[in-house]
Amino acid sequence: VTDSLESCDDNYFNLVFSRQKKLPLTVFQTKRTTVREIMVSDLEELYVIYDDDLVRKYLEPLYEYEEEKVFTEKYIENMYGMYGYGLWIVEDKQNGRIIGRAGISIRNIDGEDCNELGYVIRREYRNKGYADEVCRAIIEYAADELEILELYIVSELDNLYSEHLALKLGFEKIAEIQDRDICLNFFYKKIYFFPFFSCFLHSISCHFKSTLV
Protein backbone atom coordinates (compact mmCIF):
# COMPACT_ATOMS: atom_id res chain seq x y z
CA VAL A 1 0.00 0.00 0.00
CA THR A 2 1.25 3.47 -0.89
CA ASP A 3 0.13 6.80 0.51
CA SER A 4 0.71 8.96 -2.58
CA LEU A 5 0.72 8.73 -6.36
CA GLU A 6 4.22 10.22 -6.41
CA SER A 7 5.63 7.05 -4.87
CA CYS A 8 4.10 4.93 -7.67
CA ASP A 9 7.11 4.98 -9.98
CA ASP A 10 8.44 2.18 -12.19
CA ASN A 11 10.31 0.64 -9.25
CA TYR A 12 7.10 0.42 -7.22
CA PHE A 13 5.12 -1.26 -10.01
CA ASN A 14 8.04 -3.61 -10.65
CA LEU A 15 8.00 -4.56 -6.97
CA VAL A 16 4.23 -5.17 -6.95
CA PHE A 17 4.39 -7.27 -10.12
CA SER A 18 7.31 -9.34 -8.80
CA ARG A 19 5.57 -10.00 -5.50
CA GLN A 20 2.29 -10.99 -7.14
CA LYS A 21 3.96 -13.35 -9.60
CA LYS A 22 6.49 -14.59 -7.02
CA LEU A 23 9.35 -13.60 -9.30
CA PRO A 24 12.80 -12.54 -8.05
CA LEU A 25 13.16 -8.77 -8.05
CA THR A 26 16.20 -7.33 -9.80
CA VAL A 27 17.57 -5.01 -7.13
CA PHE A 28 20.22 -3.19 -9.16
CA GLN A 29 23.01 -3.67 -11.67
CA THR A 30 26.66 -2.72 -11.52
CA LYS A 31 29.14 -2.49 -14.38
CA ARG A 32 29.72 -6.25 -14.40
CA THR A 33 26.94 -7.77 -12.30
CA THR A 34 23.21 -8.08 -11.77
CA VAL A 35 22.03 -8.29 -8.17
CA ARG A 36 18.64 -9.92 -7.64
CA GLU A 37 16.59 -11.77 -5.07
CA ILE A 38 17.20 -15.44 -4.49
CA MET A 39 15.10 -18.30 -5.92
CA VAL A 40 14.91 -21.90 -4.75
CA SER A 41 16.37 -22.92 -8.11
CA ASP A 42 19.59 -21.06 -7.18
CA LEU A 43 20.41 -23.53 -4.43
CA GLU A 44 22.28 -25.97 -6.65
CA GLU A 45 24.80 -23.27 -7.62
CA LEU A 46 25.06 -22.03 -4.05
CA TYR A 47 26.07 -25.51 -2.87
CA VAL A 48 28.91 -25.38 -5.39
CA ILE A 49 30.02 -21.95 -4.17
CA TYR A 50 29.90 -23.02 -0.52
CA ASP A 51 31.88 -26.19 -1.27
CA ASP A 52 35.13 -24.29 -0.85
CA ASP A 53 37.77 -24.39 1.90
CA LEU A 54 37.83 -20.61 2.40
CA VAL A 55 34.04 -20.36 2.53
CA ARG A 56 33.83 -23.27 4.97
CA LYS A 57 36.38 -21.55 7.19
CA TYR A 58 34.45 -18.32 7.62
CA LEU A 59 30.78 -19.07 6.88
CA GLU A 60 28.24 -21.46 8.30
CA PRO A 61 27.37 -24.27 5.87
CA LEU A 62 24.05 -24.52 4.08
CA TYR A 63 21.50 -26.97 5.44
CA GLU A 64 20.70 -30.27 3.77
CA TYR A 65 18.74 -29.58 0.58
CA GLU A 66 15.16 -30.08 1.80
CA GLU A 67 15.77 -28.01 4.92
CA GLU A 68 17.58 -25.31 2.92
CA LYS A 69 14.71 -25.25 0.43
CA VAL A 70 12.17 -24.60 3.18
CA PHE A 71 14.47 -22.02 4.76
CA THR A 72 14.86 -20.20 1.43
CA GLU A 73 11.11 -20.14 0.80
CA LYS A 74 10.52 -18.65 4.25
CA TYR A 75 13.41 -16.23 3.74
CA ILE A 76 11.86 -14.92 0.52
CA GLU A 77 8.48 -14.54 2.17
CA ASN A 78 9.62 -12.99 5.44
CA MET A 79 12.88 -11.14 4.79
CA TYR A 80 12.15 -9.72 1.35
CA GLY A 81 8.43 -9.42 2.04
CA MET A 82 8.71 -7.64 5.39
CA TYR A 83 12.01 -5.76 5.20
CA GLY A 84 12.43 -5.29 1.46
CA TYR A 85 16.05 -6.40 1.54
CA GLY A 86 18.30 -9.24 2.62
CA LEU A 87 21.01 -11.36 1.06
CA TRP A 88 20.77 -11.32 -2.73
CA ILE A 89 22.15 -13.34 -5.62
CA VAL A 90 25.03 -11.85 -7.63
CA GLU A 91 25.17 -12.78 -11.31
CA ASP A 92 27.78 -12.16 -13.97
CA LYS A 93 25.96 -9.71 -16.23
CA GLN A 94 27.70 -11.06 -19.32
CA ASN A 95 26.69 -14.71 -19.04
CA GLY A 96 24.13 -14.89 -16.20
CA ARG A 97 26.31 -17.18 -14.10
CA ILE A 98 25.80 -16.99 -10.34
CA ILE A 99 29.06 -15.73 -8.86
CA GLY A 100 28.02 -15.31 -5.24
CA ARG A 101 25.61 -13.68 -2.89
CA ALA A 102 25.74 -10.37 -1.07
CA GLY A 103 23.46 -8.02 0.78
CA ILE A 104 22.26 -6.89 4.16
CA SER A 105 21.43 -9.16 7.09
CA ILE A 106 20.00 -8.32 10.48
CA ARG A 107 22.45 -9.12 13.28
CA ASN A 108 22.03 -8.60 17.00
CA ILE A 109 24.92 -6.47 18.25
CA ASP A 110 25.05 -5.52 21.90
CA GLY A 111 21.33 -6.20 22.31
CA GLU A 112 20.20 -4.23 19.24
CA ASP A 113 19.20 -5.39 15.76
CA CYS A 114 21.72 -3.91 13.33
CA ASN A 115 22.20 -4.09 9.57
CA GLU A 116 25.24 -6.10 8.55
CA LEU A 117 26.82 -6.01 5.10
CA GLY A 118 27.97 -9.45 3.96
CA TYR A 119 29.11 -11.24 0.85
CA VAL A 120 30.56 -14.45 -0.57
CA ILE A 121 32.16 -14.66 -4.02
CA ARG A 122 32.76 -17.76 -6.13
CA ARG A 123 36.43 -18.82 -6.11
CA GLU A 124 37.06 -18.09 -9.82
CA TYR A 125 35.85 -14.50 -9.41
CA ARG A 126 37.88 -13.54 -6.35
CA ASN A 127 40.70 -10.97 -6.45
CA LYS A 128 39.08 -9.30 -9.46
CA GLY A 129 37.27 -6.49 -7.66
CA TYR A 130 33.79 -8.04 -7.69
CA ALA A 131 33.28 -7.87 -3.93
CA ASP A 132 34.33 -4.22 -3.89
CA GLU A 133 32.10 -3.39 -6.87
CA VAL A 134 29.01 -5.08 -5.46
CA CYS A 135 29.48 -3.89 -1.87
CA ARG A 136 29.85 -0.27 -2.96
CA ALA A 137 26.61 -0.58 -4.92
CA ILE A 138 24.87 -2.14 -1.89
CA ILE A 139 26.00 0.74 0.34
CA GLU A 140 24.67 3.26 -2.18
CA TYR A 141 21.39 1.36 -2.54
CA ALA A 142 21.00 1.04 1.24
CA ALA A 143 21.43 4.79 1.70
CA ASP A 144 19.50 6.09 -1.31
CA GLU A 145 16.66 3.58 -1.62
CA LEU A 146 16.31 1.99 1.82
CA GLU A 147 17.42 5.02 3.87
CA ILE A 148 19.38 2.74 6.17
CA LEU A 149 21.38 4.90 8.57
CA GLU A 150 24.38 2.70 9.24
CA LEU A 151 25.99 -0.60 8.34
CA TYR A 152 28.28 -3.02 10.11
CA ILE A 153 30.73 -5.58 8.79
CA VAL A 154 31.67 -8.44 11.12
CA SER A 155 34.56 -10.73 10.26
CA GLU A 156 36.90 -13.12 12.00
CA LEU A 157 40.17 -11.64 13.20
CA ASP A 158 42.33 -13.60 10.75
CA ASN A 159 40.12 -12.79 7.74
CA LEU A 160 42.52 -10.16 6.43
CA TYR A 161 40.80 -9.87 3.05
CA SER A 162 37.49 -8.87 4.65
CA GLU A 163 39.29 -6.43 6.94
CA HIS A 164 41.08 -4.87 3.96
CA LEU A 165 37.82 -4.54 2.03
CA ALA A 166 35.96 -3.06 5.01
CA LEU A 167 38.58 -0.35 5.44
CA LYS A 168 38.68 0.27 1.69
CA LEU A 169 34.91 0.78 1.72
CA GLY A 170 35.30 3.45 4.40
CA PHE A 171 34.28 1.40 7.44
CA GLU A 172 35.94 2.10 10.78
CA LYS A 173 37.07 -0.70 13.07
CA ILE A 174 35.24 -0.14 16.35
CA ALA A 175 35.72 -3.33 18.32
CA GLU A 176 37.48 -6.66 18.63
CA ILE A 177 35.37 -9.11 20.58
CA GLN A 178 35.88 -12.70 21.68
CA ASP A 179 32.73 -14.68 20.87
CA ARG A 180 33.15 -18.13 22.42
CA ASP A 181 36.19 -19.56 20.63
CA ILE A 182 36.20 -16.99 17.79
CA CYS A 183 37.64 -13.50 17.83
CA LEU A 184 35.60 -11.08 15.73
CA ASN A 185 36.33 -7.67 14.21
CA PHE A 186 33.48 -5.17 14.12
CA PHE A 187 33.48 -2.41 11.49
CA TYR A 188 31.03 0.50 11.29
CA LYS A 189 29.99 3.06 8.67
CA LYS A 190 27.41 5.84 8.79
CA ILE A 191 25.86 5.87 5.32
CA TYR A 192 22.71 8.01 5.43
CA PHE A 193 22.06 11.49 6.75
CA PHE A 194 18.56 12.93 7.04
CA PRO A 195 18.02 15.67 4.43
CA PHE A 196 17.61 18.47 6.98
CA PHE A 197 20.78 17.38 8.75
CA SER A 198 22.69 17.27 5.47
CA CYS A 199 21.49 20.82 4.71
CA PHE A 200 22.57 21.88 8.20
CA LEU A 201 26.04 20.39 7.67
CA HIS A 202 26.26 22.09 4.27
CA SER A 203 25.32 25.50 5.72
CA ILE A 204 27.86 25.10 8.53
CA SER A 205 30.51 24.15 5.98
CA CYS A 206 29.69 27.17 3.78
CA HIS A 207 29.76 29.49 6.79
CA PHE A 208 33.08 28.08 7.93
CA LYS A 209 34.54 28.53 4.46
CA SER A 210 33.28 32.12 4.27
CA THR A 211 35.08 32.98 7.52
CA LEU A 212 38.34 31.90 5.90
CA VAL A 213 37.99 34.24 2.91
Side-chain angles (χ1 to χ4, degrees):
V1 179
T2 180
D3 58 1
S4 69
L5 288 175
E6 282 119 4
S7 62
C8 295
D9 57 9
D10 290 342
N11 291 334
Y12 175 76
F13 288 116
N14 187 29
L15 173 63
V16 172
F17 179 80
S18 297
R19 292 289 177 259
Q20 283 186 336
K21 300 297 183 180
K22 295 186 177 180
L23 298 173
L25 182 71
T26 296
V27 183
F28 58 79
Q29 292 186 321
T30 69
K31 182 179 179 180
R32 297 179 293 174
T33 72
T34 297
V35 176
R36 63 164 174 80
E37 294 177 344
I38 193 172
M39 300 182 290
V40 171
S41 58
D42 297 323
L43 291 181
E44 183 177 346
E45 282 297 303
L46 288 180
Y47 278 108
V48 175
I49 292 171
Y50 277 68
D51 186 20
D52 176 89
D53 290 340
L54 194 62
V55 175
R56 280 192 289 266
K57 182 177 180 180
Y58 294 120
L59 295 180
E60 293 182 3
L62 301 175
Y63 300 121
E64 295 295 327
Y65 179 79
E66 288 302 323
E67 189 175 356
E68 188 69 33
K69 179 176 178 290
V70 172
F71 175 84
T72 301
E73 291 170 341
K74 292 297 184 182
Y75 188 89
I76 294 169
E77 178 183 352
N78 297 325
M79 195 67 188
Y80 296 158
M82 293 177 60
Y83 292 93
Y85 60 89
L87 286 175
W88 300 304
I89 291 295
V90 182
E91 291 180 334
D92 185 328
K93 189 191 290 186
Q94 191 171 28
N95 56 30
R97 187 185 190 194
I98 294 176
I99 67 169
R101 67 197 303 193
I104 303 166
S105 300
I106 297 175
R107 185 187 188 113
N108 187 279
I109 299 176
D110 199 23
E112 294 186 10
D113 286 339
C114 301
N115 290 302
E116 179 188 3
L117 174 63
Y119 63 91
V120 57
I121 300 295
R122 186 189 287 265
R123 181 172 56 248
E124 306 94 285
Y125 286 80
R126 292 175 199 156
N127 301 312
K128 297 180 180 179
Y130 281 94
D132 180 272
E133 179 179 327
V134 171
C135 286
R136 287 185 188 278
I138 291 171
I139 293 169
E140 182 178 350
Y141 181 83
D144 295 346
E145 301 297 330
L146 302 175
E147 297 186 354
I148 288 175
L149 300 179
E150 55 196 14
L151 287 172
Y152 291 83
I153 291 177
V154 181
S155 65
E156 293 188 26
L157 186 63
D158 66 343
N159 191 341
L160 300 181
Y161 180 83
S162 287
E163 178 176 358
H164 172 76
L165 181 59
L167 297 175
K168 187 178 178 182
L169 293 171
F171 283 73
E172 175 189 1
K173 184 175 177 178
I174 58 171
E176 187 177 300
I177 298 175
Q178 188 74 28
D179 182 14
R180 296 184 294 275
D181 58 340
I182 301 174
C183 193
L184 299 174
N185 281 329
F186 286 76
F187 301 89
Y188 170 86
K189 182 181 177 72
K190 182 84 169 180
I191 64 168
Y192 178 80
F193 294 90
F194 291 108
F196 75 90
F197 186 63
S198 298
C199 292
F200 173 74
L201 290 178
H202 178 70
S203 65
I204 291 295
S205 174
C206 291
H207 174 73
F208 179 73
K209 289 177 181 177
S210 68
T211 62
L212 298 179
V213 177

